[in-house]
């Protein structure tokens, strides 16, 4: 059985599989369909011994890795979200659901990043950052407000009677929040008729990447 080691450059849910013979090197995908170690050992995909709750995948660098099975992560995602949307839940049980939601979401995002298909019923918002964008006069990106599943979100939190104790729960409706922001801007432009607003939703692991991709999308559209 191969050993496992964390892969810092990959999502936290992903671990590369290390050769048990040398205990040092990961397996790299070869042209023969097998995975090879520099020490001379090799392993076929069918020989990767997993427990059913995990699956194997190939990282962008061609390394053999494992991560939680998307189907299993999706079940936990749905279970946690069901608790979060129950108005009768509060306290420790709700906090536990928030943690489970974020953990399952991170696993699903890792699956998508490594090219594994999500369940057919999966939330299309997974892995996307929804940007309510302000455009310049020439159509390029001026600025944006960002929303994504699992990010701290005041809109998804019960309104506190004391604003100093307002909590931010994991976001469950980023697409709706982005379009709501655009609608609010359009109704309250205060004479800024030259400004235009759109929603862009690039696949991105973080805000910096999302905003870069959004700017590139707008620049490409202007240039077309």
């Amino acid at each position: 059985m191969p050993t496992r080691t964390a892969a810092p450059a990959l999502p936290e849910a992903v671990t590369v599989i290390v050769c048990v013979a040398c205990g040092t090197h990961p397996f790299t995908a070869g042209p023969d369909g097998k995975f090879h170690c520099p020490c001379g050992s090799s392993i076929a995909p069918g020989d990767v011994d997993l427990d059913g709750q995990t699956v194997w995948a190939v990282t962008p660098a061609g390394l053999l890795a494992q991560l939680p099975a998307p189907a299993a992560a999706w079940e936990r995602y749905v279970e946690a979200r069901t608790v979060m949307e129950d108005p009768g839940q509060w306290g420790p049980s709700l906090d536990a659901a928030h943690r489970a939601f974020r953990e399952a979401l991170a696993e699903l995002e890792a699956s998508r990043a490594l090219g594994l298909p999500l369940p057919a019923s999966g939330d299309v918002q997974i892995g996307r950052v929804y940007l309510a964008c302000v455009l310049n006069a020439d159509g390029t990106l001026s600025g944006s407000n960002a929303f994504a599943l699992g990010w701290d979100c005041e809109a998804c939190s019960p309104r506190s009677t004391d604003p100093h104790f307002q909590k931010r729960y994991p976001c469950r409706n980023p697409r709706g929040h982005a379009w709501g922001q655009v609608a609010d801007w359009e109704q309250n432009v205060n004479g800024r008729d030259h400004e235009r607003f759109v929603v862009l939703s690039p696949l991105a692991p973080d805000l910096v990447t999302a905003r870069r991709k959004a700017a590139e999308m707008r620049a490409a559209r202007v240039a077309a």
Side-chain angles (χ1 to χ4, degrees):
M1 174 67 185
T3 58
R4 300 163 186 164
T5 185
L10 296 169
E12 188 175 346
V14 180
T15 57
V16 296
I17 296 178
V18 172
C19 174
V20 68
C22 67
T24 302
H25 301 291
F27 288 99
T28 303
D32 59 355
K34 295 183 178 182
F35 297 95
H36 299 270
C37 176
C39 77
S41 298
S42 65
I43 185 173
D47 295 331
V48 181
D49 185 14
L50 300 175
D51 59 8
Q53 293 298 302
T54 55
V55 294
W56 66 268
V58 181
T59 73
L63 303 180
L64 176 63
Q66 72 159 23
L67 69 162
W74 173 248
E75 288 183 5
R76 288 183 279 107
Y77 172 93
V78 171
E79 289 173 0
R81 184 159 182 161
T82 299
V83 174
M84 290 165 59
E85 294 177 349
D86 181 349
Q89 296 289 340
W90 60 281
S93 61
L94 186 57
D95 292 340
H98 290 170
R99 289 192 297 271
F101 177 81
R102 287 192 168 107
E103 289 171 1
L105 178 59
E107 293 168 5
L108 291 167
E109 289 175 340
S111 295
R112 170 166 255 173
L114 267 63
L116 296 178
L118 299 185
S121 57
D123 193 331
V124 297
Q125 300 175 111
I126 291 172
R128 294 189 181 277
V129 177
Y130 287 80
L131 299 165
C133 300
V134 179
L135 304 182
N136 295 313
D138 64 358
T140 57
L141 184 65
S142 172
S144 62
N145 287 351
F147 308 88
L149 281 174
W151 289 12
D152 285 349
C153 181
E154 187 173 326
C156 287
S157 308
R159 184 62 57 186
S160 174
T161 55
D162 186 340
H164 295 290
F165 292 95
Q166 178 64 44
K167 294 183 178 180
R168 286 176 170 78
Y169 287 5
C171 185
R172 305 188 304 277
N173 184 26
R175 180 171 53 187
H177 297 336
W179 281 108
Q181 177 71 85
V182 164
D184 182 65
W185 284 340
E186 289 176 340
Q187 293 175 5
N188 301 280
V189 293
N190 296 323
R192 299 193 302 265
D193 295 333
H194 63 286
E195 292 185 335
R196 292 189 296 128
F197 313 105
V198 298
V199 172
L200 299 176
S201 55
L203 285 167
D206 52 53
L207 179 56
V208 172
T209 304
R211 284 185 167 149
R212 174 180 57 78
K213 286 188 172 184
E216 292 171 350
M217 292 164 66
R218 289 307 310 176
R221 179 155 188 172
V222 168

